[in-house]
Structures are given as C-alpha cells and as structure tokens.
Amino acid sequence: MKKRNYEIDMCSGTIMDKLITFSLPLMLSGVLQLMFNAVDIVIVGRFTGSEALAAVGSTSALINVFTNLFMGVSLGSNVLAARFYASGRTKEMSETVHTSILFALISGIVMAVIGLIFSRAALELMGTPADVIDHSTLYMRIYFLGMPFFMLYNYGASILRAVGDTRRPLIFLIISGLLNAGLNMFLVIVFHLGVAGVAIATVISQMVSCVLVLRCLCRSEGSYQLRLSDLTLKWQYLRQIFQVGIPAGIQSTVINFSNVLLQSSVNSFGSTAMAGYTAANNILSFLYVTVNSITQACMSFTSQNYGVGNYRRMDKILADCVVLSVGASTVLGCVAYFFGPEILTVYTSDPEVVKCGTEVLAFTTTTYFLCGLMDLFPGPMRGMGYSAVPMLLSIIGTVGTRIVWIFGFFPHNRSLSFLFLSYPASWIFSIILQIICLYFVRRRVYPASERKLR
C-alpha cells in the first residue's frame, strides 16, 4: 500500500524510528497543550490571585471524570480505523470515520448539557472551599460550552493518527494554542475577566482546532475523507468502537474519580495546598503526555499489524515501546524532581504554595517510569480488541490501592507527601496485574506457532 507524505507504514520496515516519528508529534502536541494550559494557570495565578488559581486547578480532575468516558471511545475509533486502513477495507474505513464524527458531535452536546447542569453540585460534593466554589463553577460552565468542539477535534485527530498522521494535528494545536495564549492575556490582563476570561479563551481556541481538523478530513483523499452529507451512525461499527473505547473510557473515568478523592483530601488542607497541588499536577501532566504518546503509538501500530496478522512484529513493537517509555519517563522524572521548586515558581511566587507543590512531587517524579509501564501494557491489548479485562485490572490496581490508602492509611499520617505515596504504590500493583493479563491475551490471540516470546 502506497503511503502519502503524512502517513507512516506501520506494517513493514524498521520499527523504532517509526515509533519515534509517530510519537514525537503526538508528544509535542500534548506538551504544547499543557504549556498552553499552564499559560492559563500562570496568567490567572499571577494577575487574579491564588484563589482564582485554586479555582481553575480544582476543576481539572472533575472535568476529566465528566469527559473521559466519551474520550475513551475515541480510542476505539482509532483502533478500528487503523485495522480497516491497514487491511485495505475502504468501505468499512469510510463508514467508521463518519460514524465516529457524528458520535463525537452528539457526545459533545451531551457533555455540554451535563456540565451546565451539574457543575456546582459536583464541586460541592468534592468539598470545594467556599472562597473558591463560585469561581470554579463559572469556569466549568463556560468550559463545557466548548465540549462539542473539543470532542470533534479529538475524534478527528484519532482518525488521522490511525493512518499514521500525527503531524497535522500538531500544526492545528500550535495554531489554536497560540490563539488561546493570546486571548488569555487579552481577556484576563486587559479586560480583567479572571477565570471567565480563561474559560472563554479555551472555548474559542477549541472551536478553531475543531474547524481545522474537520477541514483536513474533508479535503483528504481516499478512505478517510469526510463528507458531511454522509454522516450517519452505523451500529455494526459503533458496537466495535464501544467494545474497545467504552472500557478504556470507564478506566480513565474511574481512575480520575480516584484523583477526585485525592483532590478532596488535598482540599482538606486549604486553598494554599490546593494551589500547590494544581501547579505540581500540571508538571506531572507533562510527564504523562510523554508516556501516553508512546502508549498510543503502541496501540496504533499493534492494531494495524493485528489487522494483517503480523504477530511477530507486534512483539517487537511492544519491546521497543517499553524502552522508549522507561527512558523518556526516567529522564523527565529526574528533571522534575531536581528542578521542581524552580519550576513551581513559574506558577506562583507564594513560597507556601511552592512548598506544598514540592511535597507532591517528592515521590511521584523519579518513580514516574512505573506510571509509563502501567499506561503502556493495556495499549497492545486494546490494539488487539481486548479492553474490558485491562480496564478491570487497572481499576483494581490503581483505584483500589488509592482508596485503601486514602481511607485506611492517610488518616493516620496526614501529610501531602504521604498522601501521594499512593501513586507509586498503585502503579506497581497495576503493572503486575497488567503483565499477567497480557500473557493470557497473547496466548488467546496468537497462533500456536507465534506464541514463543522473541
């Protein structure tokens, strides 16, 4: 199959260089997105105050709980599209694209309505302090108005990633991110709109990225071209998308629910600790997008090779991804550990906030390679269409460990550093469970002649 300039041949040739070529734009996309989000936090923290900083930061885990179920379904779109594309099934590929985009629009509208109605009640359940909750509610309600644009961009980008194109989504993100940063400074510094200005800037930039990715799909040639007149929901494809995507979404949602419990525990220390956690969590997010880009590469490469029955290559893909994930997360984790206090001062000049942020980073940065491995091993299983069991094991390993830690151990040793020891503990337990699961999935999927590890 002849590949166009933006596409990558995942089924033949060398592997490591193609994984890097695929992962790097995806990694840069995530890093840039976080940098633009950090601009939100820096601007609102510097020019509006620590209460506004806490208000914006305290909503992130809750927003993720609301959105990650639908976002997980986009992984199903990616896996199915990659499989059809690699095997040359043009009709099935086209119908998968149109089903995915229409579902993205519908789910975005649903999320907008849910966010508008339930934002304040959810923040109250989290125990958000009275001096923060009004700002947090306003931010969330405006943010959720942009959900249709957010969903359409991410589902469109997942289709492009399925064919190996991670460069054009990066270009679109750069354009929308620069717009977001400019609007932030304009609306917050000039018009003094505070958290509302940050949220409005986010919605506008999401709309721009949505238009760019849809335009790209409409102007593409071949099986993944989008024709708005052909938008339809076809159950036979939606069912296969849900089979992979819903377990992935549930896993992400439940894990973020455990982060909401952590956020509630942090909230009990007051707004200063909340602001420190917000800044530290933003630093950890940079590490996560790095390892997650490698996981997405592993999933897409595995799905295409699974579609053509190239089992031996799938093992080599996983081995190379392990090397990439451990290497990248170890280097970046050490940088975050040794330079954490200096990096935190970018977000705030309050020494107490920096101190709280440093406590959060103490046990979560140098051990971050464990998070990378925990995130990686479900990737090839999803690429082969197995998503439910990895979901259950991730929930047991990650959420179960953190719940036991928060309600069993934390009350007897109330400090931020001890609270966030739950991270590496949950990562180790989850890795053990995922490796066992991968062994049995591999035995079930691979032909007998291909089961011997190479």
Side-chain angles (χ1 to χ4, degrees), residues 9 26 38 40 45 162 192 250 256 293 329 386 403 408:
D9 184 355
L26 198 58
D40 293 355
H192 307 290
I250 292 174
N256 275 283
S293 68
S329 55
Y386 287 81
I403 288 175

Side-chain angles (χ1 to χ4, degrees), residues 59-178:
T59 63
S60 59
L62 190 54
I63 287 173
N64 288 336
V65 167
F66 279 122
T67 60
N68 277 355
L69 175 60
F70 291 102
M71 284 302 301
V73 180
S74 72
L75 295 180
S77 298
N78 175 274
V79 168
L80 192 62
R83 194 177 304 164
F84 287 149
Y85 183 75
S87 56
R89 298 167 67 179
T90 301
K91 178 176 179 291
E92 290 88 345
M93 175 67 174
S94 178
E95 292 178 341
T96 297
V97 169
H98 290 90
T99 295
S100 299
I101 294 299
L102 183 55
F103 178 78
L105 176 61
I106 294 170
S107 61
I109 293 171
V110 170
M111 290 308 306
V113 173
I114 290 174
L116 286 172
I117 295 174
F118 296 108
S119 291
R120 188 175 186 91
L123 287 164
E124 288 173 348
L125 283 175
M126 284 179 61
T128 306
D131 60 340
V132 171
I133 193 166
D134 287 338
H135 289 307
S136 297
T137 303
L138 176 62
Y139 177 82
M140 279 191 68
R141 285 175 173 166
I142 297 173
Y143 185 95
F144 270 90
L145 287 175
M147 276 296 110
F149 307 126
F150 177 79
M151 293 292 178
L152 284 167
Y153 169 77
N154 281 282
Y155 277 70
S158 76
I159 298 298
L160 293 175
R161 287 196 297 270
V163 302
D165 181 2
T166 54
R167 285 182 285 171
R168 282 185 289 188
L170 171 61
I171 294 169
F172 304 152
L173 185 64
I174 291 172
I175 294 170
S176 63
L178 290 173

Side-chain angles (χ1 to χ4, degrees), residues 80-368:
L80 192 62
R83 194 177 304 164
F84 287 149
Y85 183 75
S87 56
R89 298 167 67 179
T90 301
K91 178 176 179 291
E92 290 88 345
M93 175 67 174
S94 178
E95 292 178 341
T96 297
V97 169
H98 290 90
T99 295
S100 299
I101 294 299
L102 183 55
F103 178 78
L105 176 61
I106 294 170
S107 61
I109 293 171
V110 170
M111 290 308 306
V113 173
I114 290 174
L116 286 172
I117 295 174
F118 296 108
S119 291
R120 188 175 186 91
L123 287 164
E124 288 173 348
L125 283 175
M126 284 179 61
T128 306
D131 60 340
V132 171
I133 193 166
D134 287 338
H135 289 307
S136 297
T137 303
L138 176 62
Y139 177 82
M140 279 191 68
R141 285 175 173 166
I142 297 173
Y143 185 95
F144 270 90
L145 287 175
M147 276 296 110
F149 307 126
F150 177 79
M151 293 292 178
L152 284 167
Y153 169 77
N154 281 282
Y155 277 70
S158 76
I159 298 298
L160 293 175
R161 287 196 297 270
V163 302
D165 181 2
T166 54
R167 285 182 285 171
R168 282 185 289 188
L170 171 61
I171 294 169
F172 304 152
L173 185 64
I174 291 172
I175 294 170
S176 63
L178 290 173
L179 175 64
N180 182 41
L183 287 172
N184 273 333
M185 291 184 283
F186 188 68
L187 296 175
V188 175
I189 300 174
V190 177
F191 284 94
H192 307 290
L193 292 180
V195 296
V198 171
I200 292 169
T202 299
V203 171
I204 294 173
S205 64
Q206 286 173 349
M207 179 181 66
V208 170
S209 63
C210 166
V211 170
L212 289 172
V213 79
L214 292 181
R215 178 176 175 271
C216 174
L217 288 172
C218 288
R219 298 183 65 178
S220 296
E221 298 178 0
S223 58
Y224 60 99
Q225 183 181 37
L226 176 66
R227 303 174 186 86
L228 298 181
S229 59
D230 291 342
L231 288 176
T232 184
L233 290 177
K234 298 223 168 185
W235 173 246
Q236 66 265 39
Y237 304 111
L238 204 58
R239 179 179 58 81
Q240 294 178 74
I241 290 170
F242 285 169
Q243 184 179 352
V244 174
I246 287 182
I250 292 174
Q251 173 184 325
S252 186
T253 298
V254 176
I255 288 175
N256 275 283
F257 176 73
S258 72
N259 291 338
V260 169
L261 294 177
L262 280 167
Q263 178 74 62
S264 298
S265 300
V266 173
N267 291 354
S268 67
F269 289 96
S271 60
T272 299
M274 289 171 66
Y277 172 57
T278 296
N281 198 44
N282 196 262
I283 294 173
L284 292 176
S285 296
F286 281 96
L287 275 64
Y288 179 73
V289 298
T290 301
V291 298
N292 185 249
S293 68
I294 299 168
T295 297
Q296 291 195 46
C298 187
M299 184 179 68
S300 294
F301 275 66
T302 299
S303 183
Q304 282 210 13
N305 283 275
Y306 179 65
V308 297
N310 200 345
Y311 301 102
R312 185 177 301 183
R313 188 175 176 85
M314 288 158 58
D315 288 339
K316 294 177 181 177
I317 289 166
L318 177 58
D320 283 356
C321 285
V322 168
V323 173
L324 281 176
S325 183
V326 172
S329 55
T330 299
V331 171
L332 294 177
C334 289
V335 170
Y337 176 80
F338 289 110
F339 298 99
E342 289 78 12
I343 299 172
L344 287 167
T345 58
V346 174
Y347 297 90
T348 178
S349 57
D350 188 332
E352 290 301 314
V353 173
V354 172
K355 179 182 177 182
C356 290
T358 303
E359 283 189 65
V360 174
L361 295 176
F363 296 103
T364 55
T365 48
T366 55
T367 60
Y368 208 81

Side-chain angles (χ1 to χ4, degrees), residues 15-51:
I15 296 175
M16 181 65 83
D17 60 327
K18 292 181 180 180
L19 285 171
I20 294 172
T21 300
F22 183 96
S23 301
L24 194 57
L26 198 58
M27 192 183 303
L28 290 173
S29 295
V31 169
L32 284 172
Q33 182 65 66
L34 288 167
M35 288 179 67
F36 295 136
N37 290 344
V39 170
D40 293 355
I41 295 171
V42 169
I43 289 176
V44 81
R46 291 281 184 177
F47 295 96
T48 309
S50 60
E51 287 183 5

